């Protein structure tokens, strides 16, 4: 059969024996949930630069070594900035009655410097002249500002799994549609990544989502406001978090840069708690809160690190070439980053374990990279690209750029793989169709020309290395888990995780063994000159503002 179908077909028919061994190990002897447990419950939040991220990185390094990987290390990718973590977070309403609030300090904001207790002040500033009314009146006070109540969400109607019709639409996407990004024909966004990076001096990150978003647009500059609050000695700023039903989607309240300006303590509060307090104070009912928030900045080591490790290649002609797989290891701080992105990281670690466990000696070298600082703008992967592959602003390439066959990324939550985004690489389509064929029974069939953006494969794609992200079922990633205080181990679906690790291991296996490298697109044009970027950032693509 192969002879009549041409060499491309023969080359890309997966070896059924190896596929069966990968499936057996990945589906029936999985350790992916144990890996996820160590990344989440055991390590804690993995905000970039935090002790939690370091704990998880150290564990991953040990684990990769235990599995027999080589060249395993935390690799410095460049300057990140300050680390930060929450060490105490208590806030409750005590008048007119006791109620414990759901609230999370904004990342990179200071704490309350001990326990504070005070009346909540309704702070309404529409123009710069309004500030005068509050001069001398805010010292130690807890302030709240107008914010629209969120529309009620009905989770029953939110997407869980892609329908056949949706997948069919994606499969039939044309390059032109694909260029627009995302998946055509879908009502919701394809989960991408990256929160608004860096943040302004205050009100950064979440911006218009929170209770403070209106100020900038109504005549008072956010930086002016932040300086006023700081100068007046505000005790605590309450902001309304995006989310309902106790879900708090977190953001940063200041930049991670070591040069960032000081801001006031800032608490992102659940919309229900926020709206209750707002209704009371606007009705003239006195509200008293007590709070005790301690956050810690870490400035000794301002560098950022990725975790890397390899299964060495064995083919004399191909072992210097690479297959890469990865995902971002960092998370936001309100929970343990279960679906964003312990799930993707655990899948990639498990894929490495599977390939090692079955005794696979690849032709090409297989390298895992678990990135940091994705949430601040793909900084870890972009720094790695700059160090290893070249400069996207001049398209000056380093020799290693020519040696990477492909990079595979997972960063869309816990939903199982339904296919793969070609990222406009049409020539890879027929290859991936055949590689997905053995996984039809597991629901992975769709190859779409479309792009998906805003996560780390884009950093490699930007330097001309074929970088791919898989299509994953959305589950409740956008509605509930990613970046939120609900992003815990519990939201990770074991069966979906096993499926993902098995398919990724198979793709990596096939890429490692293929005679030729994965076809490449034309080298991208150099990026426009570096514009305004977050301080402390290494060279990286222009900031994409998305949802991951
Ligand atoms: Zn993510």
């Amino acid at each position: 059969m192969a002879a009549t179908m041409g060499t491309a077909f023969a080359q890309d028919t997966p070896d059924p024996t190896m596929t069966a061994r990968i499936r057996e190990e990945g589906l029936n002897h999985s350790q992916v949930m144990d890996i996820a447990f160590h990344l989440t419950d055991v390590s804690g939040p993995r905000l970039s630069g935090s002790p939690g991220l370091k704990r998880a990185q150290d564990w991953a390094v040990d684990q990769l070594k235990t599995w027999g990987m080589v060249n395993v290390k935390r690799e410095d990718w460049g300057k990140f900035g300050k680390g930060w973590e929450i060490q105490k977070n208590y806030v409750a309403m005590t008048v007119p009655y006791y109620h414990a609030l759901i609230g999370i300090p904004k990342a990179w904001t200071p704490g309350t410097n001990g326990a504070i207790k005070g009346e909540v002040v309704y702070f309404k500033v529409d123009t710069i002249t309004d500030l005068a009314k509050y001069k001398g009146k805010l010292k130690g006070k807890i302030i709240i500002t107008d914010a629209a109540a969120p529309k009620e969400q009905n989770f029953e109607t939110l997407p869980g799994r892609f329908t056949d019709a949706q997948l069919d639409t994606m499969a039939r996407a044309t390059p032109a549609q694909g260029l627009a990004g995302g998946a055509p024909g879908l009502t919701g966004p394809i989960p991408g990544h990256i929160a608004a990076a860096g943040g302004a001096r205050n009100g950064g990150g979440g911006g218009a989502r929170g209770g403070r978003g209106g100020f900038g647009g109504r005549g008072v500059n956010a930086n002016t406001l932040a300086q006023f609050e700081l100068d007046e000695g505000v005790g605590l700023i309450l902001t309304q978090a995006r989310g309902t039903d106790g879900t708090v989607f977190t953001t940063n309240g200041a930049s991670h840069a070591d040069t960032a300006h000081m801001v006031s303590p800032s608490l992102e509060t659940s919309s229900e708690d926020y709206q209750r307090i707002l209704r009371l104070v606007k009705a003239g009912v006195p509200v008293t809160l007590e709070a005790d928030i301690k956050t810690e900045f870490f400035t000794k080591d301002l560098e950022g690190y990725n975790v890397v490790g390899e299964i060495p290649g064995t083919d004399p002609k191909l072992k210097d070439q690479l297959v890469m797989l990865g995902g971002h290891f960092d998370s936001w701080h309100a929970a343990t980053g279960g679906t964003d992105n312990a799930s993707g990281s655990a899948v990639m670690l498990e894929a490495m374990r599977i390939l090692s466990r079955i005794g696979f000696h690849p032709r090409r070298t297989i390298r895992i990279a678990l990135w940091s600082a994705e949430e601040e703008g793909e900084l870890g992967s972009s720094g790695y690209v700059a160090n290893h592959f070249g400069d996207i602003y001049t398209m000056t390439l380093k020799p290693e750029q020519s040696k990477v066959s492909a990079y595979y990324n997972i960063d869309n939550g816990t939903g199982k793989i339904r296919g793969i985004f070609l990222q406009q690489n049409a020539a890879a389509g027929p290859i991936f169709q055949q590689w997905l064929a053995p996984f039809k029974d597991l629901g992975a069939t769709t190859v779409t020309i479309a792009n998906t953006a805003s996560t780390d494969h884009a950093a490699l794609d930007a330097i001309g290395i074929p970088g791919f992200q898989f299509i994953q079922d959305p589950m409740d990633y956008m509605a509930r888990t990613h970046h939120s205080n609900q992003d815990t181990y519990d939201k990770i679906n074991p069966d979906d995780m096993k499926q993902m690790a098995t398919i990724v291991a198979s793709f990596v296996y096939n890429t490692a063994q293929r005679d030729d490298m994965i076809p490449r697109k034309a080298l991208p044009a150099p990026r426009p000159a570096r514009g305004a970027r977050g301080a402390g950032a290494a060279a990286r693509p222009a900031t994409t503002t998305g949802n991951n």
Side-chain angles (χ1 to χ4, degrees), residues 53-256:
L53 179 63
K54 173 75 163 47
R55 281 192 291 272
Q57 288 177 328
D58 288 345
W59 181 85
V61 165
D62 283 350
Q63 206 53 224
L64 287 164
K65 286 179 179 170
T66 301
W67 293 330
M69 312 299 164
V70 300
N71 301 326
V72 181
K73 60 187 171 185
R74 285 171 83 232
E75 181 178 315
D76 186 344
W77 56 258
K79 185 176 177 184
F80 170 70
K82 295 178 287 190
W84 180 90
E85 74 173 6
I86 300 168
Q87 296 184 341
K88 183 185 259 191
N89 177 25
Y90 169 71
V91 59
M93 183 170 81
T94 56
V95 173
Y97 46 86
Y98 185 86
H99 169 65
L101 303 191
I102 297 174
I104 310 288
K106 284 190 173 184
W108 289 287
T109 60
T112 55
N113 196 22
I116 62 167
K117 186 166 189 165
E119 196 169 315
V120 178
V121 174
Y122 174 51
F123 186 51
K124 185 169 173 56
V125 178
D126 293 327
T127 67
I128 192 101
T129 53
D130 290 337
L131 285 176
K133 290 188 291 189
Y134 295 98
K135 191 123 186 68
K137 294 179 182 165
L138 298 180
K139 186 153 185 62
K141 293 286 194 290
I142 296 159
I143 63 171
I144 192 166
T145 58
D146 277 316
K151 289 185 192 129
E152 194 181 339
Q153 289 187 33
N154 180 357
F155 288 99
E156 309 259 319
T157 64
L158 292 166
R161 307 237 178 237
F162 282 128
T163 63
D164 289 346
Q166 287 173 318
L167 290 168
D168 190 51
T169 304
M170 291 164 81
R172 285 188 283 104
T174 63
Q177 285 175 308
L179 279 172
L186 298 179
T187 49
I190 287 289
H193 236 253
I194 304 182
R201 288 178 45 203
N202 197 1
R209 289 170 183 165
R212 304 170 58 73
F215 287 107
R218 283 186 287 164
V220 183
N221 177 282
N223 288 349
T224 304
L225 192 65
Q227 191 61 49
F228 180 80
E229 290 159 346
L230 195 63
D231 293 345
E232 293 295 310
V234 168
L236 181 63
I237 299 167
L238 299 181
T239 68
Q240 178 174 255
R242 187 169 67 85
T244 60
D245 304 88
T247 299
V248 170
F249 287 93
T250 46
T251 55
N252 56 322
S255 168
H256 53 86

Side-chain angles (χ1 to χ4, degrees), residues 125-382:
V125 178
D126 293 327
T127 67
I128 192 101
T129 53
D130 290 337
L131 285 176
K133 290 188 291 189
Y134 295 98
K135 191 123 186 68
K137 294 179 182 165
L138 298 180
K139 186 153 185 62
K141 293 286 194 290
I142 296 159
I143 63 171
I144 192 166
T145 58
D146 277 316
K151 289 185 192 129
E152 194 181 339
Q153 289 187 33
N154 180 357
F155 288 99
E156 309 259 319
T157 64
L158 292 166
R161 307 237 178 237
F162 282 128
T163 63
D164 289 346
Q166 287 173 318
L167 290 168
D168 190 51
T169 304
M170 291 164 81
R172 285 188 283 104
T174 63
Q177 285 175 308
L179 279 172
L186 298 179
T187 49
I190 287 289
H193 236 253
I194 304 182
R201 288 178 45 203
N202 197 1
R209 289 170 183 165
R212 304 170 58 73
F215 287 107
R218 283 186 287 164
V220 183
N221 177 282
N223 288 349
T224 304
L225 192 65
Q227 191 61 49
F228 180 80
E229 290 159 346
L230 195 63
D231 293 345
E232 293 295 310
V234 168
L236 181 63
I237 299 167
L238 299 181
T239 68
Q240 178 174 255
R242 187 169 67 85
T244 60
D245 304 88
T247 299
V248 170
F249 287 93
T250 46
T251 55
N252 56 322
S255 168
H256 53 86
D258 58 325
T259 52
H261 292 265
M262 180 62 81
V263 297
S264 304
S266 188
L267 187 78
E268 229 155 5
T269 311
S270 76
S271 58
E272 292 86 0
D273 286 340
Y274 193 90
Q275 291 295 324
R276 185 198 306 199
I277 295 167
L278 188 59
R279 285 189 297 270
L280 287 168
V281 296
K282 288 177 81 167
V285 180
V287 174
T288 299
L289 296 192
E290 59 184 15
D292 190 354
I293 297 169
K294 184 174 190 308
T295 66
E296 181 77 32
F297 290 88
F298 301 93
T299 55
K300 272 201 181 122
D301 183 1
L302 299 175
E303 296 300 289
Y305 299 87
N306 303 313
V307 169
V308 294
E310 294 179 345
I311 301 174
T314 56
D315 183 312
K317 289 192 183 125
L318 298 181
K319 65 182 184 184
D320 290 340
Q321 294 183 3
L322 293 161
V323 185
M324 290 187 66
L325 66 161
H328 74 87
F329 212 50
D330 61 307
S331 76
W332 284 96
H333 55 293
T336 53
T339 67
D340 187 15
N341 182 32
S343 53
S345 299
V347 161
M348 293 320 197
L349 285 164
E350 169 73 354
M352 292 291 277
R353 190 199 65 81
I354 292 168
L355 292 169
S356 169
R357 185 72 185 79
I358 64 173
F360 174 47
H361 298 290
R363 298 177 73 189
R364 293 183 178 82
T365 295
I366 298 169
R367 181 185 294 168
I368 188 172
L370 300 169
W371 316 111
S372 68
E374 188 272 356
E375 297 293 2
E376 290 74 36
E378 296 165 18
L379 304 183
S381 55
S382 298

